[in-house]
Amino acid sequence: MFRILRNLVRMAVIGRTVARHDALPTTLLGTAPGLLWLWRRIARRDVPGREGQRLARALAELGPTYIKLGQLLSTRSDLVGERMAVDLAELQDKLPPFPGAQARAIIEAEFGQPVQALFQSFDDKPVAAASIAQVHFAVTADGEEVAVKVLRPGIVAAFERDIDLFYWLAALAEAVVPRLRRLRLREVVDTFARTSRLEMDLRMEAAAASELAANFTEDPTFNVPKIDWERTAGRVLTLERIRGFKVDEPARISAAGFDRDEILAMASASFFNQVFRDGFFHADLHPGNLFINEQGTITAVDFGIMGRLDRETRYYLADMLIGFLTGDYRRVALVHFEAGYVPRHQSIEIFTQACRAIGEPLQNKPLNEISVGRLLAQLFAVTEQFEMETQPQLLLLQKSMLTAEGVGRLLNPNINMWELARPLIEEWMRENRGPEAQVLDDVVGALTTIRRLPALVREAERVTREVADGGVRLHPQTVRQMLVGWDRRRRSDRAALWVIAALLAVIALRLV
């Protein structure tokens, strides 16, 4: 009962805030005429801005959890539409700072010792304050200049209360407006809860930064601040202090003697390598998280939101993009069906036609005028009609691409990051999607099958023992069919071994 009362009170606060900003998407209300009628009588009608901009302002007023919710929705153009997703992506993750004394108390509670034992100096005035945490500059006992990120006090408990409300509202919305079930609102809440809980454990952010740094150990195009693990815990993250300029300060960058086109080339290469080479990318590369350090190298901060792409997804993405850029829409459609993204019962011919409608406007356009992020957004909007299941990792990538393209335009509006990354793209495609790569993939697949053979033999022996002991009773006809099947597989495995041997011989000859 207490939970229901608490949620009702919180709903009243949310409703009042959203009504004051006239921020409830009317596309959702259109599914329930009664609610639409009521909303038109309680919401203000003179609020300026687009629907998405009004919603962003309302979420910012509601507090940290709702700011994070807005950031999540900005990656779900399939739910809120492309225009609103773009508006929500501009939601400023800024809040008033909490007192430095509270930050000190959190640090001392995490490490069990006074701040003076950890730092020579600690600046009580934060340099940045966001929804989850704020950042203070400090100097360690060893004399190292660092930035200390401290989680907001009480944020975890407040978040859990809001998540409970979101689950309740999602279930209520699907019960009251059955047509909303297609949006899978409870799954959206699941994703939001999971990613936000990870983001509020600053050890996970430190681990993400460490992994990203390891990927660029031998790569000078991208820099990640060093993690001070001795001064990092669940609510405190300490990392190397970065000195330089924000990437959205082109005048200061030029005044420092750095070539903005070279920086843009490095940004393009680093983003491409994160996505395709490593399959692990910084998913929040807005200008506030990108700096040009004193050596003229791009440096990223804030590793709370990261994305991953497995090898198969990267292959899908590469094949799909090449299909669009070369006008091979049949290839684009086949990639979706082969990946299992579009159900087999859909018509590949009609889906090819839909892909053509997206790709034709790109033909004969110079590469510097093509936005890959916007291309993906249009594709995801169309694929919904073909029952394509939501791919969260691709939606996050699409948002990241739009953000990265925006950074590129800040540095030089006349050059597209994909044009600069083209040599890398072509090289990666030769190495990973060319004939030789396909042969190697086939060999790896065959070797994987061979490695599984002992396990299959052991399983067959186990079943045989159970049959002999009377533990499994089979009809004689079934036994004969099994024997025939095993004999066919034995012959097939022998053939597979010969194929592998031939492939290895071909590879050996090419390497000589």
Side-chain angles (χ1 to χ4, degrees), residues 19 25 39 46-47 96 167 179 227 249 311 334 339 376 443 446 497:
W39 179 254
D46 58 345
V47 185
Y167 276 119
R179 290 172 62 183
I227 303 299
E249 299 178 305
R311 183 174 293 275
L334 281 172
L376 288 180
V443 170
L497 289 172

Side-chain angles (χ1 to χ4, degrees), residues 149 198 201-217 222-229 232 237-240 274 278 280-283 299-308:
K149 186 172 184 177
L198 288 175
D201 183 345
L202 297 184
R203 292 168 299 188
M204 296 298 291
E205 180 175 342
S210 178
E211 181 178 350
L212 189 62
N215 289 341
F216 282 85
T217 300
F222 193 73
N223 180 50
V224 176
K226 294 185 181 70
I227 303 299
D228 184 340
W229 286 101
T232 293
L237 167 62
T238 303
L239 66 168
E240 171 192 3
Q274 288 177 57
D278 307 323
F280 182 63
F281 61 95
H282 193 307
T299 302
V301 298
D302 194 353
F303 309 94
I305 305 176
M306 306 295 290
R308 289 189 186 275

Side-chain angles (χ1 to χ4, degrees), residues 118-145:
L118 298 165
F119 303 102
Q120 284 184 21
S121 64
F122 181 88
D123 192 347
D124 283 331
K125 183 179 180 181
V127 293
S131 59
I132 295 294
Q134 66 185 31
V135 179
H136 298 257
F137 286 150
V139 178
T140 70
D142 303 324
E144 297 290 333
E145 290 188 331

Side-chain angles (χ1 to χ4, degrees), residues 75 281 283 305-307 392-401:
T75 70
F281 61 95
I305 305 176
M306 306 295 290
Q393 75 279 15
L394 291 178
L395 290 168
L396 187 61
L397 174 64
Q398 181 260 328
K399 173 182 176 290
S400 301
M401 282 182 168

Side-chain angles (χ1 to χ4, degrees), residues 25-329:
T26 54
T27 52
L28 296 182
L29 291 176
T31 64
L35 289 177
L36 180 60
W37 178 86
L38 177 63
W39 179 254
R40 285 174 173 167
R41 277 149 184 79
I42 64 174
R44 285 184 57 185
R45 309 305 301 163
D46 58 345
V47 185
R50 293 185 298 272
E51 204 170 54
Q53 294 172 325
R54 300 197 301 270
L55 179 58
R57 290 196 291 267
L59 293 173
E61 183 177 328
L62 285 167
T65 307
Y66 298 85
I67 292 173
K68 288 297 172 189
L69 178 63
Q71 291 178 333
L72 170 69
L73 292 176
S74 73
T75 70
R76 295 298 304 272
S77 57
D78 60 318
L79 294 181
V80 299
E82 185 179 352
R83 179 69 264 180
M84 181 173 287
V86 171
D87 289 336
L88 290 175
E90 297 174 1
L91 179 64
Q92 293 297 304
D93 191 4
K94 294 180 180 179
L95 283 179
F98 56 89
Q102 285 185 303
R104 287 174 176 266
I106 291 171
I107 293 170
E108 292 176 351
E110 285 294 293
F111 297 104
Q113 52 185 314
V115 170
Q116 292 82 353
L118 298 165
F119 303 102
Q120 284 184 21
S121 64
F122 181 88
D123 192 347
D124 283 331
K125 183 179 180 181
V127 293
S131 59
I132 295 294
Q134 66 185 31
V135 179
H136 298 257
F137 286 150
V139 178
T140 70
D142 303 324
E144 297 290 333
E145 290 188 331
V146 293
V148 185
K149 186 172 184 177
V150 184
L151 210 63
R152 281 188 174 274
I155 185 67
V156 175
F159 170 80
E160 293 298 337
R161 286 195 299 271
D162 288 330
I163 284 296
D164 181 70
L165 171 64
F166 293 165
Y167 276 119
W168 189 67
L169 285 175
L172 182 64
E174 291 181 355
V176 173
V177 189
R179 290 172 62 183
L180 293 181
R181 291 173 187 164
R182 70 174 181 84
L183 300 179
R184 299 190 292 182
L185 298 178
R186 278 177 282 193
E187 291 183 29
V188 174
V189 178
D190 278 334
T191 301
F192 175 59
R194 184 171 58 254
T195 56
S196 296
R197 286 185 182 117
L198 288 175
E199 191 175 354
M200 286 188 285
D201 183 345
L202 297 184
R203 292 168 299 188
M204 296 298 291
E205 180 175 342
S210 178
E211 181 178 350
L212 189 62
N215 289 341
F216 282 85
T217 300
E218 304 297 330
D219 192 331
T221 63
F222 193 73
N223 180 50
V224 176
K226 294 185 181 70
I227 303 299
D228 184 340
W229 286 101
E230 291 184 5
R231 297 171 181 82
T232 293
R235 294 188 292 168
V236 179
L237 167 62
T238 303
L239 66 168
E240 171 192 3
R241 178 176 175 178
I242 299 301
R243 293 186 178 275
F245 318 108
K246 287 187 177 180
V247 76
D248 59 353
E249 299 178 305
R252 294 185 65 188
I253 294 171
S254 297
F258 299 131
D259 188 325
R260 283 186 288 165
D261 288 351
E262 288 183 7
I263 291 172
L264 177 54
M266 286 191 294
S268 301
S270 64
F271 187 76
F272 170 83
N273 285 329
Q274 288 177 57
V275 172
F276 287 96
R277 184 190 68 191
D278 307 323
F280 182 63
F281 61 95
H282 193 307
D284 197 22
L285 284 176
H286 61 73
N289 286 340
L290 278 178
F291 292 82
I292 310 302
N293 65 17
E294 294 175 329
Q295 291 72 44
T297 301
I298 292 177
T299 302
V301 298
D302 194 353
F303 309 94
I305 305 176
M306 306 295 290
R308 289 189 186 275
L309 299 173
D310 59 26
R311 183 174 293 275
E312 288 72 23
T313 303
R314 283 178 269 165
Y315 287 170
Y316 150 80
L317 188 64
D319 288 343
M320 182 267 295
L321 289 177
I322 285 180
F324 269 121
L325 296 176
T326 60
D328 189 350
Y329 307 115

